[in-house]
Amino acid sequence: MTFDLVVATIGRVKELERLLASLERQTHRDFRVLVVDQNEDERVERVLSAHPSLHAERLWSPPGLSRARNVALPHVRAEVIAFPDDDCVYPDDLLERVAALLATGLDGVAGREPWWTTSAATLTRENLWNRAISFTIFLRRDVVDRVGRFDEALGLPASSGEEIDYLIRALGAGAHIEYDPTIVVDHPSKPIDLTAVGARDGASIGRILRKHRYPPRVVARMLVRPAAGVLLDPRRARFHLATLGGRLRGYRQ
């Protein structure tokens, strides 16, 4: 089974170096790395030159995560497409295990960060909200061909949730995607402004709820959760309020 790994990168060297080193250690070797460079210098070329054993192709894109992935999509040709972040690290046998899972006939697999739920599930429009993060998603190319481009109104730096939108569209196209908690990808935590992240991610979720015409009961549930968080988690009340405000704002746009 062949893999194309689409890596959008900007402003990072050491992190990209760690990712590429983890790819060099993969026990499954049939893969390419499509590095979409959004820098204005040659830092990525210098990193790639230190990993000659990798089958890597460098592409260029203006800033924007979804925009970068869309630049790469016309270049994919493998059986399976994945979207690792430039600062994540693949376990040595990750591609081998994903290939074995997909060989059972699945259209896609979604994994988790170490602290996510350990309950396996078939992805649906209802349950994917906390089971979808881009650097753990692997999709067959025919699914990617059917779904097409990422929504460039979603995705970093100004937004998020592009992978949720993409999976909703994949499910709508009939894809069978499993959330498998044995697929774990390490992604380093970084200091963040929780209030700003809550507002940004909340707005993205609101936009997705409206775009995909979720029923009122689902919209209500997605608003009640952060509202309840204000009362039940007072230490992070500002985060929950920002999330609630973001979801309302995104839904109305």
Side-chain angles (χ1 to χ4, degrees):
M1 187 172 290
T2 58
F3 290 79
D4 276 342
L5 311 178
V6 176
V7 182
T9 186
I10 185 169
R12 288 174 174 157
V13 172
K14 292 181 180 179
E15 297 90 342
L16 181 61
E17 171 71 36
R18 285 196 294 268
L19 169 62
L20 296 180
S22 77
L23 297 181
E24 286 183 318
R25 296 191 298 268
Q26 290 301 301
T27 54
H28 182 95
R29 302 302 303 168
D30 203 351
F31 65 89
R32 291 190 309 154
V33 188
L34 303 180
V35 179
V36 188
D37 187 356
Q38 300 175 91
N39 297 288
E40 296 182 351
D41 54 32
E42 293 300 307
R43 72 185 72 188
V44 167
E45 182 59 33
R46 291 192 290 271
V47 174
L48 291 177
S49 66
H51 298 272
S53 66
L54 292 176
H55 184 181
E57 180 177 344
R58 182 185 177 200
L59 306 170
W60 288 267
S61 164
L65 182 56
S66 292
R67 184 179 295 164
R69 290 171 176 168
N70 286 339
V71 165
L73 288 182
H75 298 266
V76 300
R77 59 173 184 261
E79 296 169 272
V80 180
I81 315 302
F83 304 94
D85 282 359
D86 61 355
D87 60 344
C88 74
V89 175
Y90 274 14
D92 295 357
D93 63 346
L94 182 69
L95 295 183
E96 180 180 355
R97 289 189 288 118
V98 170
L101 289 169
L102 292 174
T104 65
L106 298 177
D107 295 313
V109 174
R112 66 184 179 95
E113 292 193 76
W115 57 87
W116 279 28
T117 177
T118 56
S119 299
T122 299
L123 287 190
T124 69
R125 282 170 50 102
E126 298 283 334
N127 71 9
L128 57 66
W129 302 99
N130 62 348
R131 294 179 173 89
I133 193 161
S134 59
F135 56 86
T136 72
I137 294 170
F138 298 82
L139 298 173
R140 289 189 179 274
R141 195 182 74 204
D142 68 297
V143 174
V144 172
D145 289 342
R146 277 181 277 159
V147 176
R149 294 166 59 85
F150 283 84
D151 183 345
E152 294 186 7
L154 299 169
L156 295 173
S159 184
S160 64
E162 76 290 339
E163 71 272 69
I164 294 174
D165 171 74
Y166 206 84
L167 288 183
I168 292 170
R169 290 155 58 198
L171 294 173
H176 177 192
I177 304 170
E178 289 289 325
Y179 172 76
D180 190 317
T182 68
I183 302 300
V184 182
V185 177
D186 183 42
H187 192 270
S189 58
K190 298 175 285 292
I192 58 173
D193 181 340
L194 268 181
T195 301
V197 169
R200 181 198 69 194
D201 293 355
S204 301
I205 294 301
R207 179 185 178 90
I208 291 168
L209 289 167
R210 183 178 182 88
K211 175 181 177 179
H212 293 286
R213 300 181 179 181
Y214 272 82
R217 62 179 175 80
V218 175
V219 176
R221 187 179 75 231
M222 298 297 278
L223 296 176
V224 166
R225 284 179 178 174
V230 175
L231 300 175
L232 300 176
D233 184 19
R235 288 182 299 176
R236 298 200 303 167
R238 292 182 62 189
F239 163 72
H240 296 300
L241 281 172
T243 300
L244 175 61
R247 290 183 181 181
L248 286 168
R249 184 173 65 256
Y251 190 78
R252 290 168 177 163
Q253 287 178 346

